[in-house]
């Protein structure tokens, strides 16, 4: 009798373990409630399935947003970067206060230029921040065609709530097929949406690269498994990418990196692989613990660190595989200002994320246009003195009174920095 009871208990436990996860929407609500009540608990001690769901080329975020993407590892990282960590909440750059609402506050005709818009989540954030100002403009520039298609779809769905019209309107946004593009051709493009009578800001999307000179088409490296690493053929640097990614993942897997107000905002997808990575990372000694631990404990730590770093590098090399070159026209930021900043409108925010080509983009802004740019936020790769050169350009050539350089904790010691510049 006792044996039969034990077998029935085992059968029930097995049945429960094999049940499918609850639906994405209900599980997202449940997990958000759980996370709110246990924000400071250690995430390395137990594994729960991620509230993100992936279906082909689209992902569903915990808030229910459906996001088009090219490469799965990019989605949560970009989402967390833009929304959870608020890397474009400009007010946080100087004093750590404010909610970033002044990112796009400026003149009556407000303009935001998003260079290296990727799948468009930053452009979506800017368009939403502009609210119901029909005169406001967001200009998104992305050279990789597949990534551009995802950008356009995300803007339609997340800014204009046009789920049904996404497929029908795939051809509406400007997508130059010529070898050259000028400011006049940019100006003749139609917005994806918004404008008079819509109660929304206008968003323009241009499938072009941005550099120091307009002219003939340029080659851009496209990484199918890591679309966010795409860059011009002149600025590809796999070694720098691998080192920065290894550093980020190694630090992000630390359990204390998770002890924030929202422990899911480190940019890594919560899955079995990440769970195992955190468990291995927990075996690795940091700081003073290296000195106070026993010899055997230090040996175990060294072995775990060696293995984890090698696995991360192998994953990075896979993500770099399959790269190919696409050719797209190149414009300058000044071309964009001439096309979209009518009546001497100012640029409230210039955002740049172009994987080591940021100096080239900045050098494409003419002296007469710099005074019309109120704020700049960019990612800088400090290769061959690029960080000092960028800061000097923003202070001396562009004339910004305040330039702030910041490096996220998960990238300390690496070559990636965030730079914020403003007129006041």
């Amino acid at each position: 009798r006792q044996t039969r009871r034990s077998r029935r208990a085992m059968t029930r436990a097995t049945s429960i373990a094999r049940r499918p996860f609850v639906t994405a929407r209900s599980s997202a609500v449940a997990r958000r409630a759980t996370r709110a009540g246990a924000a400071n608990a250690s995430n390395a001690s137990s594994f729960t399935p991620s509230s993100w769901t992936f279906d082909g080329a689209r992902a569903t975020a915990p808030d229910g947003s459906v996001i088009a993407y090219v490469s799965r590892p990019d989605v949560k990282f970009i989402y967390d970067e833009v929304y959870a960590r608020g890397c474009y909440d400009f007010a946080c750059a100087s004093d750590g206060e404010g909610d970033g609402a002044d990112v796009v506050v400026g003149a009556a005709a407000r303009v935001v230029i998003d260079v290296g818009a990727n799948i468009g989540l930053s452009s979506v954030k800017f368009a939403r921040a502009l609210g119901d100002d029909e005169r406001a403009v967001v200009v998104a520039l992305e050279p990789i065609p597949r990534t551009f298609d995802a950008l356009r779809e995300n803007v339609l769905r997340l800014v204009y709530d046009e789920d049904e019209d996404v497929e029908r309107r795939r051809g509406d946004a400007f997508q130059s097929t010529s070898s050259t593009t000028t400011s006049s051709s940019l100006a003749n493009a139609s917005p994806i949406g918004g404008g008079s009578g819509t109660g929304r800001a206008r968003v323009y999307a241009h499938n072009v690269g941005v550099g120091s000179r307009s002219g003939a088409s340029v080659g851009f490296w496209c990484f199918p498994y890591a679309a966010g690493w795409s860059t011009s053929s002149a600025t590809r640097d796999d070694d720098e990418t691998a080192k920065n990614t290894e550093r980020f993942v190694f630090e992000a897997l630390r359990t204390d990196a998770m002890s924030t107000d929202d422990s899911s905002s480190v940019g890594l997808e919560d899955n079995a692989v990440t769970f195992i990575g955190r468990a291995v990372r927990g075996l690795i000694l940091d700081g003073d613990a290296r000195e106070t631990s026993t010899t055997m404990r230090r040996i175990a730590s060294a072995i775990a660190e060696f293995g984890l770093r090698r696995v991360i590098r192998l994953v990075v090399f896979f993500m770099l595989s399959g790269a190919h070159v696409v050719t797209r026209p190149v414009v300058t930021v000044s071309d964009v200002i001439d096309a979209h900043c009518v009546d001497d409108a100012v640029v409230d925010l210039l955002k740049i994320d172009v994987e080591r080509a940021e100096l080239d983009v900045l050098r494409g802004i003419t002296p007469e246009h710099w005074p019309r740019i109120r704020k700049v936020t960019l990612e800088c790769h400090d290769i061959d003195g690029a960080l000092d050169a960028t800061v000097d350009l923003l202070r001396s050539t562009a004339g910004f009174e305040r330039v702030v350089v910041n490096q996220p904790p998960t990238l300390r010691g690496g070559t990636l920095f965030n730079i914020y510049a403003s007129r006041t």
Side-chain angles (χ1 to χ4, degrees):
R1 185 178 300 172
Q2 184 65 34
T3 302
R4 286 198 299 271
R5 289 176 180 173
S6 299
R7 286 175 178 170
R8 284 198 296 270
M10 181 64 72
T11 301
R12 285 196 299 271
T14 303
S15 175
I16 292 171
R18 288 177 177 173
R19 288 177 189 172
F21 298 137
V22 293
T23 62
R25 180 168 297 182
S26 61
S27 65
V29 172
R31 270 187 288 273
R32 282 200 297 273
T34 301
R35 216 166 39 230
N40 295 317
S42 170
N43 288 278
S45 59
S46 62
F47 168 65
T48 56
S50 170
S51 55
W52 282 79
T53 58
F54 295 85
D55 180 16
R58 290 169 186 83
T60 302
D63 63 1
S65 301
V66 178
I67 301 170
Y69 67 92
V70 176
S71 49
R72 178 167 170 169
D74 285 336
V75 184
K76 187 176 185 299
F77 179 85
I78 298 174
Y79 182 92
D80 288 347
E81 180 180 60
V82 174
Y83 295 102
R85 297 196 299 276
C87 85
Y88 300 124
D89 292 348
F90 195 82
C92 299
S94 57
D95 55 15
E97 299 178 353
D99 60 2
D102 70 335
V103 171
V104 287
V105 172
R110 298 182 288 177
V111 178
V112 177
I113 299 176
D114 188 351
V115 180
N118 203 278
I119 60 174
L121 296 189
S122 53
S123 295
V124 168
K125 179 183 178 73
F126 300 145
R128 286 175 170 175
L130 287 165
D132 58 0
D133 187 348
E134 297 177 354
R135 297 167 298 174
V137 172
V138 176
V139 185
L141 303 113
E142 170 56 46
I144 308 301
R146 281 187 64 198
T147 309
F148 178 80
D149 286 341
L151 178 160
R152 186 169 43 189
E153 180 175 329
N154 287 331
V155 169
L156 280 170
R157 180 177 287 116
L158 301 177
V159 177
Y160 303 116
D161 304 318
E162 297 193 17
D163 275 330
E164 296 121 2
D165 290 343
V166 167
E167 293 299 324
R168 179 179 63 80
R169 296 187 56 178
R170 277 194 177 275
D172 284 4
F174 172 71
Q175 189 167 11
S176 172
T177 55
S178 64
S179 60
T180 60
T181 301
T182 64
S183 59
S184 60
S185 59
L186 296 177
N188 291 331
S190 299
I192 294 178
S196 180
T198 66
R200 304 286 180 87
R202 288 170 291 165
V203 178
Y204 293 86
H206 302 301
N207 185 206
V208 297
V210 182
S212 58
R213 292 183 300 174
S214 306
S217 296
V218 169
F220 291 87
W221 280 104
C222 173
F223 299 96
Y225 304 115
W229 294 346
S230 298
T231 187
S232 71
S233 56
T235 56
R236 178 176 175 177
D237 189 337
D238 290 358
D239 185 57
E240 193 237 8
T241 298
K243 288 179 179 177
N244 282 327
T245 305
E246 178 189 326
R247 178 174 284 103
F248 167 77
V249 175
F250 188 79
E251 291 302 314
L253 288 172
R254 289 175 53 158
T255 54
D256 57 351
M258 306 289 290
S259 58
T260 60
D261 290 338
D262 182 355
S263 61
S264 66
S265 64
V266 294
L268 300 178
E269 184 183 333
D270 288 326
N271 54 32
V273 175
T274 307
F275 171 70
I276 294 171
R278 289 193 183 115
V280 175
R281 184 64 179 86
L283 300 174
I284 300 172
L285 299 171
D286 294 294
D288 294 338
R290 295 177 185 269
E291 305 300 325
T292 58
S293 298
T294 64
T295 301
M296 291 302 296
R297 181 68 180 86
R298 290 198 298 270
I299 292 174
S301 171
I303 293 173
E305 180 172 353
F306 177 85
L308 182 59
R309 289 188 181 275
R310 292 304 175 273
V311 170
I312 295 172
R313 279 295 183 106
L314 287 174
V315 173
V316 171
F317 291 145
F318 169 76
M319 293 171 68
L320 288 167
S321 65
H324 58 276
V325 176
V326 297
T327 303
R328 298 303 304 150
V330 172
V331 300
T332 67
V333 172
S334 283
D335 289 332
V336 177
I337 293 174
D338 286 336
H340 292 290
C341 295
V342 296
D343 299 326
D344 294 327
V346 300
V347 176
D348 286 270
L349 179 68
L350 169 63
K351 170 255 174 181
I352 303 171
D353 186 355
V354 287
E355 302 299 313
R356 291 171 293 276
E358 48 275 1
L359 263 176
D360 192 51
V361 172
L362 292 173
R363 288 166 178 160
I365 302 173
T366 61
E368 59 268 23
H369 281 154
W370 271 121
R372 294 170 61 182
I373 301 174
R374 297 181 64 244
K375 295 180 179 180
V376 174
T377 177
L378 63 89
E379 180 186 84
C380 180
H381 296 247
D382 190 18
I383 305 295
D384 298 327
L387 180 62
D388 289 341
T390 302
V391 170
D392 181 67
L393 186 151
L394 291 170
R395 284 177 174 159
S396 59
T397 303
F400 286 101
E401 291 89 355
R402 184 171 62 179
V403 179
V404 178
V405 178
N406 172 266
Q407 189 172 52
T410 50
L411 290 170
R412 292 281 162 79
T415 56
L416 272 177
F417 296 84
N418 293 322
I419 301 179
Y420 308 89
S422 64
R423 296 289 172 196
T424 55

